[in-house]
């Protein structure tokens, strides 16, 4: 398997893939502080304004399912450039929107464009690395990905207070331009002789082969459940922190940034579980799932015992720290099994994750948003535990 010999290019690749993988969270998280403002601007309800979040995640899911297999056939770089162009065009559409429904449509297209970077970040890593190296690079990419929400809501909160929500999308447009320029230095990681054959028949065969791989579906579903849990937190947090606790957009951004740092720390520490044996990746996943589930349980319990800000922040941070372990570990398990069709495997993992997150986000708007957020996080993390502990990964080896 080819490996890039240049240390400088390796560092560029880790940073570039991390930013691409953080594209989705950045596109979602940056405008969160402006959600309450946008309900007034568009003269609509919180549940309707959250459709922009749902449709963006739907676009992230659909885009990964479509672009992953296409990249297996045509290579990674051409698909990356196309997706970045689509993202830039859709972001301009969001900026020009005067209706919430037009805005929601362009958010869907924006999600599809951003999906290219996400699905390709995992595919490129799998093209170039395997085993313990793949586990490490995915952990580092996940850590960088976890840092994206630190800059996103913090800058979003500041910009929203100064120039309003459109200023946030100007920054998102600038980010897309920077990544497009950065992609010019990217070297194709999938040479023509390793690309899949032509036709949908071969694509369907690739999907079938991957879905039959032992351990792939449980790892992918565990990842989807963890994504659902975090989006229950993401979609509810702006309303809980700014409306229930009467904090400003900047204060929300600082809290959200701290929690993003907690996730990144979990991803970095998950590397400590890595060894030549694949069971260490499973150990990291199980540890993270147990910790996240315990944190979600504490959130639910403390809701009935205390309504203080501290009683909200501490168990949420514990849950997010556990999720930081889960993201890279479940991704590594799934991608190693889907190595033959890395683009398809990445599309399934990411597509399931964002589809699940998109479906979970509006659930927290039903009834008491704080209780709903805790309850659904608890349910999704319980499901991930059942998948992890009762589905057999023992025959899988790195």
């Amino acid at each position: 398997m080819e490996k890039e010999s240049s240390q400088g290019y390796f560092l560029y690749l880790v940073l570039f893939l991390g930013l691409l993988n953080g594209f989705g969270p950045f596109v979602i998280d940056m405008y969160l502080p402006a959600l309450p403002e946008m309900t007034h601007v568009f003269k609509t309800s919180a549940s309707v304004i959250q459709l922009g979040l749902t449709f963006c995640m739907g676009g992230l899911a659909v885009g990964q399912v479509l672009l992953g297999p296409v990249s297996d056939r045509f290579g990674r770089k051409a698909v990356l450039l196309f997706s970045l162009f689509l993202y830039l065009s859709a972001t301009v559409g969001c900026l020009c929107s005067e209706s919430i429904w037009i805005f929601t449509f362009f958010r869907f297209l924006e999600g599809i464009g951003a999906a290219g970077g996400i699905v390709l970040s995992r595919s490129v890593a799998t093209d170039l690395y395997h085993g313990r190296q793949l586990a490490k690079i995915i952990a580092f990419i996940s850590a960088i990905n976890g840092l994206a929400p630190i800059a996103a809501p913090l800058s979003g909160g500041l910009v929203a207070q100064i120039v309003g929500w459109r200023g946030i999308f100007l920054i998102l447009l600038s980010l897309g331009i920077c990544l497009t320029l950065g992609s010019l230095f990217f070297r194709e990681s999938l040479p023509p002789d390793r690309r899949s054959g032509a036709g949908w028949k071969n694509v369907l065969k690739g999907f079938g082969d991957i879905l039959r791989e032992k351990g792939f579906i449980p790892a992918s579903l565990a990842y989807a459940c963890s994504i659902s849990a975090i989006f229950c937190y993401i979609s509810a947090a702006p309303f809980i922190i700014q409306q229930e606790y009467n904090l400003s957009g900047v204060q929300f951004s600082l809290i959200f940034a701290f929690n993003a740092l907690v996730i990144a720390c979990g991803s970095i520490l998950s590397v400590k579980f890595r060894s030549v044996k694949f069971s260490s990746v499973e150990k990291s996943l199980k540890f993270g799932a147990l910790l996240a589930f315990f944190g979600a349980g504490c959130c639910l319990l403390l809701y009935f015992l205390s309504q203080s800000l501290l009683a909200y922040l501490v168990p949420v941070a514990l849950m997010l720290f556990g999720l930081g372990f889960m993201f890279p570990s479940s991704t590594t398990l799934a991608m190693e099994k889907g190595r033959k069709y890395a683009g398809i495997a990445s599309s399934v993992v990411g597509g399931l994750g964002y589809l699940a997150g998109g479906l979970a986000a509006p659930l927290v708007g039903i009834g008491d948003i704080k209780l709903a957020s805790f309850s659904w996080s608890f349910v999704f993390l319980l499901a991930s535990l059942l998948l992890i502990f009762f589905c057999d990964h023992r025959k899988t080896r790195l």
Side-chain angles (χ1 to χ4, degrees):
M1 179 171 295
E2 291 186 17
K3 294 183 176 66
E4 300 297 339
S5 56
S6 168
Q7 183 67 18
Y9 183 76
F10 172 79
L11 294 175
Y12 153 79
L13 192 65
V14 171
L15 178 61
F16 185 60
L17 294 182
L19 291 175
L20 287 177
N21 195 258
F23 213 1
F26 212 96
V27 170
I28 292 168
D29 296 341
M30 191 170 185
Y31 92 127
L32 289 178
L35 286 179
E37 173 204 348
M38 292 175 71
T39 59
H40 299 294
V41 172
F42 287 107
K43 296 180 175 61
T44 187
S45 65
S47 59
V48 172
I49 208 71
Q50 282 177 324
L51 287 176
L53 184 64
T54 299
F55 272 76
C56 181
M57 288 189 286
L60 286 164
V62 171
Q64 290 182 76
V65 171
L66 293 176
L67 296 175
V70 171
S71 72
D72 280 341
R73 180 180 176 187
F74 295 105
R76 313 302 186 199
K77 188 164 186 175
V79 175
L80 175 61
L81 292 174
F82 167 79
S83 64
L84 287 171
F85 175 77
L86 177 60
Y87 168 81
L88 292 174
S89 302
T91 304
V92 171
C94 289
L95 276 166
C96 299
S97 297
E98 297 294 335
S99 160
I100 184 59
W101 304 111
I102 295 174
F103 172 80
T104 300
F105 169 73
F106 279 115
R107 283 288 284 173
F108 178 71
L109 294 182
E110 192 179 41
I112 293 177
I118 300 170
V119 72
L120 291 172
S121 66
R122 290 186 295 262
S123 303
V124 170
T126 308
D127 290 339
L128 299 174
Y129 303 97
H130 66 95
R132 182 171 57 179
Q133 289 178 313
L134 176 63
K136 287 184 177 179
I137 197 168
I138 287 180
F140 288 132
I141 289 172
S142 297
I144 296 174
N145 179 28
L147 293 174
I150 294 178
L154 182 58
S155 57
L158 292 171
V159 171
Q161 285 198 342
I162 298 171
V163 295
W165 68 271
R166 281 191 170 87
I168 293 174
F169 283 87
L170 282 173
I171 294 180
L172 290 174
L173 181 65
S174 301
L175 174 63
I177 293 172
C178 291
L179 285 173
T180 303
L181 294 175
S183 69
L184 300 178
F185 300 97
F186 171 66
R187 305 171 193 168
E188 177 60 61
S189 63
L190 188 67
D193 61 325
R194 289 172 51 198
R195 296 176 187 175
S196 62
W200 285 106
K201 182 179 180 180
N202 191 70
V203 172
L204 293 175
K205 180 181 181 298
F207 273 107
D209 289 347
I210 284 174
L211 293 177
R212 285 193 295 269
E213 282 287 346
K214 187 173 181 61
F216 178 80
I217 291 179
S220 300
L221 290 177
Y223 175 78
C225 287
S226 64
I227 288 290
S228 297
I230 198 168
F231 275 114
C232 286
Y233 158 72
I234 287 173
S235 59
F239 298 96
I240 294 173
I241 293 173
Q242 293 184 76
Q243 294 181 354
E244 181 169 337
Y245 292 108
N246 297 315
L247 300 183
S248 68
V250 174
Q251 289 172 316
F252 160 74
S253 299
L254 291 171
I255 291 171
F256 200 83
F258 172 77
N259 285 335
L261 183 60
V262 168
I263 296 173
C265 289
S267 296
I268 293 171
L269 290 175
S270 71
V271 179
K272 299 298 182 180
F273 285 84
R274 308 288 192 240
S275 71
V276 177
K277 294 183 179 180
F278 198 69
S279 59
S280 295
V281 183
E282 289 185 321
K283 187 185 296 183
S284 174
L285 179 57
K286 290 177 179 179
F287 173 80
L290 284 169
L291 191 61
F293 178 71
F294 177 73
C298 290
C299 287
L300 198 55
L301 178 62
L302 287 174
Y303 171 84
F304 297 101
L305 299 179
S306 173
Q307 293 297 315
S308 70
L309 179 61
L310 192 63
Y312 170 77
L313 295 179
V314 173
V316 163
L318 185 62
M319 178 183 73
L320 296 177
F321 185 63
L323 288 172
F325 279 83
M326 292 183 69
F327 295 146
S329 301
S330 56
T331 302
T332 301
L333 282 164
M335 289 304 297
E336 188 63 33
K337 295 305 298 178
R339 171 173 298 282
K340 184 178 179 182
Y341 300 95
I344 294 177
S346 184
S347 73
V348 173
V349 174
L352 280 175
Y354 279 99
L355 178 61
L359 293 174
L363 294 176
V364 303
I366 302 173
D368 184 313
I369 193 168
K370 190 175 179 184
L371 178 60
S373 172
F374 293 159
S375 299
W376 283 111
S377 295
F378 183 84
V379 168
F380 289 125
L381 288 169
L382 175 60
S384 71
L385 275 178
L386 294 175
L387 284 164
I388 292 165
F389 282 93
F390 292 98
C391 293
D392 184 16
H393 294 310
R394 288 175 298 176
K395 294 183 180 179
T396 309
R397 293 288 185 269
L398 263 179

